[in-house]
Amino acid sequence: MSWERKHLLDIQNLSKEEILAVLDTARSFKQVGRRSIKKVPALRGKTVVNLFVEPSTRTRISFELAAQRLTADIINFTAEASSFKKGETLKDTVKNLEALTADIVIIRHSSAGAAHFLSRVVDASVVNAGDGAHAHPTQALLDLYTMRERKGDLEGKQVTILGDILFSRVARSNIWGLQKLGAKVTLCGPPTLVPKSFESMGCKVTYDLKEAISEADVINLLRIQHERQQHSMFPSLGEYSKLFGLNKERLSWTRPDALIMHPGPVNRGVEIDSEIADSDRSVILEQVTNGLAVRMAVLFLVNGGKEPEALTAKDTPA
Ligand code: CP
């Protein structure tokens, strides 16, 4: 199949074939990253805007590098130093960026639905880099890429997502993506952050950490999203760590080949102990590396790129 979409807004609306098209294209771009000359001219003459209205390290920088590797012009929009501060709306801001020839707008925003809204009111392609607690599609795609690279086909694989599920766009996007690729998803964490209602998405919900992690092929740890919580959802970080943090003893409950993942930023000593985060069981930095290839693939595809087998010498010079 061909990728036909102009925007990447969420994972929920992607088919399995579309997800695989992104992952296969990313594999080609990962190869490009191993060459001495890591750039391809696939987006030459195009203008990409990084519009981040919420803080980011990994997503913003990897989108910037992805655009550069594709030879696009990249504009990094800093909300704090912009006319947002004078009351300009999001729509007017992006309309002005389009007047400056923006072809692709990558948006991170604290409001769920911001990327969908933009896709309805502007002509540019819109890529969602995280909207509130709703969706973080490129994080889910890079997580899926990393799991498939390490574990092969995800059909029947057991993936446990541990931590703050309720406020996590990463959790929601991962759940959709994993289930579309046939994985079985277990959610675990404090009951206030892992409501039973997630069972309606087809997940298993448990508050028993040993049960959650002992048979998992992959354990994806999530940070507590304090910025989206109106009030504390558990007594203290110390208590969270004591009950749900991944430490050496709890690692011994897991299968020896279970992957330890985390989207970052990591709160060391809270959801994961440093010695595990830095161990060879952890693929946290591999996820970041794969994020670059996945974001190159997404920019390439929303710009009308071809399927990976159709990449020409022009797109991927030897
Ligand atoms: N994982 C992730 O979205 O990290 P950033 O907030 O640093 O982009």
Side-chain angles (χ1 to χ4, degrees):
M1 64 146 297
S2 300
W3 174 276
E4 303 284 353
R5 291 178 189 269
K6 182 178 172 185
H7 312 291
L8 176 65
L9 303 176
D10 55 37
I11 297 290
Q12 185 177 355
N13 289 304
L14 297 186
S15 64
K16 176 178 179 178
E17 290 71 28
E18 286 172 312
I19 292 172
L20 294 178
V22 177
L23 304 185
D24 289 346
T25 308
R27 195 179 322 123
S28 302
F29 282 123
K30 192 165 177 182
Q31 293 298 329
V32 172
R34 294 193 177 111
R35 297 176 187 169
S36 56
I37 296 172
K38 297 177 173 58
K39 284 182 89 151
V40 291
L43 261 63
R44 185 159 53 198
K46 300 289 178 179
T47 301
V48 176
V49 178
N50 244 348
L51 202 169
F52 277 61
V53 192
E54 243 196 5
S56 167
T57 297
R58 283 147 290 270
T59 313
R60 186 181 64 75
I61 292 172
S62 61
F63 265 122
E64 180 176 355
L65 190 54
Q68 289 172 345
R69 293 263 171 105
L70 295 168
T71 325
D73 295 320
I74 175 87
I75 296 166
N76 279 307
F77 177 96
T78 310
E80 286 301 305
S82 75
S83 290
F84 269 145
K85 289 281 166 197
K86 302 174 197 163
E88 191 164 31
T89 64
L90 181 61
K91 177 180 172 182
D92 282 340
T93 300
V94 176
K95 284 283 184 196
N96 277 269
L97 294 168
E98 281 189 316
L100 295 168
T101 71
D103 297 294
I104 302 175
V105 177
I106 301 157
I107 178 166
R108 171 170 288 192
H109 202 284
S110 56
S111 296
H116 280 79
F117 164 73
L118 266 192
S119 71
R120 290 194 296 272
V121 296
V122 302
D123 294 326
S125 289
V126 176
V127 177
N128 187 357
D131 61 328
H134 171 236
H136 194 348
T138 57
Q139 180 67 48
L141 289 165
L142 75 88
D143 290 342
L144 294 172
Y145 184 98
T146 305
M147 290 181 217
R148 286 180 90 236
E149 194 172 61
R150 287 295 201 119
K151 294 281 178 193
D153 188 354
L154 296 185
E155 185 70 44
K157 294 283 189 305
Q158 302 206 39
V159 178
T160 291
I161 307 177
L162 172 61
D164 176 356
I165 310 296
L166 181 60
F167 293 96
S168 174
R169 54 197 176 206
V170 175
R172 283 176 180 77
S173 290
N174 262 269
I175 291 167
W176 286 115
L178 284 163
Q179 291 188 337
K180 283 172 195 275
L181 297 195
K184 294 187 169 64
V185 181
T186 297
L187 307 176
C188 182
T192 48
L193 293 175
V194 191
K196 281 277 184 190
S197 56
F198 275 90
E199 286 175 346
S200 67
M201 290 180 79
C203 306
K204 176 178 170 184
V205 171
T206 178
Y207 306 113
D208 178 336
L209 182 58
K210 198 168 203 170
E211 180 193 344
I213 64 177
S214 55
E215 292 303 319
D217 296 292
V218 177
I219 301 164
N220 199 356
L221 305 172
L222 300 181
R223 169 180 78 83
I224 308 299
Q225 318 271 310
H226 294 290
E227 68 275 23
R228 283 192 272 284
Q229 297 176 7
Q230 305 299 317
H231 53 86
S232 184
M233 305 297 282
F234 47 87
S236 69
L237 286 181
E239 181 161 323
Y240 178 85
S241 171
K242 207 167 149 191
L243 292 173
F244 293 103
L246 190 62
N247 56 28
K248 207 170 168 182
E249 187 203 339
R250 289 169 182 162
L251 190 69
S252 72
W253 300 346
T254 68
R255 290 166 47 157
D257 62 346
L259 290 187
I260 307 301
M261 300 180 66
H262 192 307
V266 173
N267 291 136
R268 289 170 180 261
V270 181
E271 62 267 14
I272 185 169
D273 279 4
S274 270
E275 59 181 336
I276 303 172
D278 299 333
S279 75
D280 58 11
R281 294 284 300 278
S282 152
V283 291
I284 295 172
L285 294 178
E286 228 172 276
Q287 289 171 258
V288 177
T289 302
N290 292 335
L292 174 58
V294 164
R295 288 173 177 129
M296 287 175 77
V298 167
L299 294 178
F300 178 73
L301 290 170
V302 298
N303 186 55
K306 298 163 286 293
E307 290 179 73
E309 60 269 27
L311 286 173
T312 62
K314 177 173 75 64
D315 295 317
T316 56

